[in-house]
Amino acid sequence: MAYETILYEIEGNVLTITLNRPDKLNAATDQLLGELADAFKQAQRDATVRAVIVTGAGRGFCAGQDLASVQEREGAVSYGDHLRHTWNLVLKRLSEVEKPVIAAVNGVAAGAGMGLVLACDLRYASPAASFIQAFINIGLIPDTGSTWTLPRLIGPTRATEMMLTGRKVSAQEAYEWGMLNKVVVNHEDLMPEVNALAAQLAAMPTKGIGLIKRALAKTADSTLEAALEVEADLQELAGRTSDHKEGVAAFLEKRKATFKGV
Ligand code: T3D
């Protein structure tokens, strides 16, 4: 698929996906969402990709659904079906990427754009970033899994306040609430820091990272007893990887391990 509204760039083993409608703060049209879903599918399929960065071009990360397109389709498409075929597919494809996915939040993340950030595994932000549960400002409810992810990340008290008020939250506040892993000191530091993190993760046991993600997803709402069983099942798979054997051998031989992601 040829991409027109996103950039898909691979350097080493790191894929950077850049939402690329900067004049509209990367608000998502159906075309962009189709391309993004496809990009996550390729990210999972391509064995050379061992870490993924998602960021935005220009001064915004993503302002959510493109509202001009919402107005254009007024009455023609059901909101539920639209979500099922666009954003939900993006979120599903993203959740199927068994590699680390890092959000590099360069600017405002609003509505479903914020949901996209929450769905990533790690979240780094520029001090220029901000977060808005913008849905209620236009009479909609949070989507893109935000009702599931946000209370888990920052607790129901803060999540409910964000959702009901639609208030803009700064990167620093979001960090203090536990929504972000890090706010870099200067805006210019964001991509260098995220690139370094992604390169570090891309050199780690990729299959193991994928299995950690699978374990976290499977145990998110389970009992301890069920979690123990999930861990035993997935450890079985991790134990069969070449990277596990290499890690043990390297430790015993007192050398640095070279992980190949298999
Ligand atoms: O079925 C379904 O699809 C439902 C799904 C819904 C999912 C959702 O995401 S609903 C929420 C949609 N998003 C919003 O409501 C956010 C709307 N945007 C804003 O509130 C503000 O733009 C921001 C607070 C994000 C940023 O404000 P500011 O002052 O920094 O920038 P701006 O001047 O408002 O925006 C700059 C340009 O981007 C401007 O275009 P122009 O006038 O220069 O040509 C603005 O219209 C455009 N833009 C920003 N957000 C959107 C957008 N264009 C279309 N859709 C947008 N969401």
Side-chain angles (χ1 to χ4, degrees):
M1 183 183 212
Y3 302 134
E4 293 175 350
T5 59
I6 64 169
L7 304 177
Y8 185 98
E9 298 165 303
I10 298 176
E11 196 171 320
N13 297 112
V14 176
L15 162 65
T16 302
I17 300 171
T18 307
L19 310 181
N20 195 24
R21 297 185 73 229
D23 294 350
K24 300 294 176 189
L25 303 179
N26 305 312
T29 56
D30 288 1
Q31 179 183 5
L32 185 145
L33 294 171
E35 293 179 6
L36 191 55
D38 189 75
F40 286 131
K41 190 162 82 178
Q42 298 310 323
Q44 174 55 18
R45 280 187 180 168
D46 185 344
T48 67
V49 171
R50 293 173 62 188
V52 181
I53 299 169
V54 184
T55 191
R59 73 177 177 89
F61 176 80
C62 176
Q65 178 68 36
D66 183 283
L67 295 180
S69 68
V70 169
Q71 199 173 51
E72 272 165 29
R73 66 173 152 88
E74 182 76 44
V77 185
S78 103
Y79 279 72
D81 284 346
H82 184 260
L83 275 180
R84 288 183 191 99
H85 293 114
T86 57
W87 285 102
N88 288 9
L89 190 62
V90 168
L91 270 283
K92 185 169 183 304
R93 294 277 181 264
L94 170 49
S95 73
E96 289 165 353
V97 179
E98 292 210 313
K99 304 165 186 188
V101 181
I102 309 163
V105 190
N106 52 303
V108 65
M114 179 174 163
L116 180 61
V117 173
L118 301 177
C120 293
D121 302 313
L122 298 171
R123 290 167 288 278
Y124 273 44
S126 153
S130 57
F131 301 87
I132 314 174
Q133 283 286 297
F135 309 91
I136 195 58
N137 298 337
I138 54 165
L140 293 182
I141 71 151
D143 55 32
T144 37
S146 305
T147 57
W148 193 86
T149 45
L150 192 58
R152 281 172 169 75
L153 289 172
I154 65 173
T157 305
R158 287 162 173 158
T160 306
E161 187 210 325
M162 280 194 82
M163 290 175 185
L164 298 192
T165 64
R167 155 169 104 78
K168 183 192 280 194
V169 166
S170 70
Q172 187 56 33
E173 201 172 7
Y175 171 74
E176 285 163 11
W177 286 358
M179 199 196 300
L180 302 174
N181 296 91
K182 183 169 184 176
V183 182
V184 300
V185 176
N186 300 303
H187 178 75
E188 301 69 42
D189 299 334
L190 180 66
M191 290 319 293
E193 280 206 32
V194 172
N195 284 330
L197 174 68
Q200 179 196 332
L201 289 165
M204 292 179 71
T206 308
K207 288 270 189 261
I209 287 178
L211 290 168
I212 291 172
K213 289 181 60 168
R214 208 188 294 179
L216 288 172
K218 281 183 176 246
T219 57
D221 289 310
S222 80
T223 60
L224 172 62
E225 195 181 10
L228 291 171
E229 198 46 41
V230 167
E231 289 169 6
D233 282 348
L234 298 182
Q235 195 71 292
E236 184 67 35
L237 302 181
R240 290 182 203 162
T241 61
S242 300
D243 281 343
H244 166 58
K245 290 178 184 55
E246 164 64 4
V248 173
F251 175 80
L252 296 174
E253 292 162 21
K254 300 192 186 305
R255 62 174 173 82
K256 191 174 178 312
T258 304
F259 297 117
K260 298 203 168 95
V262 288

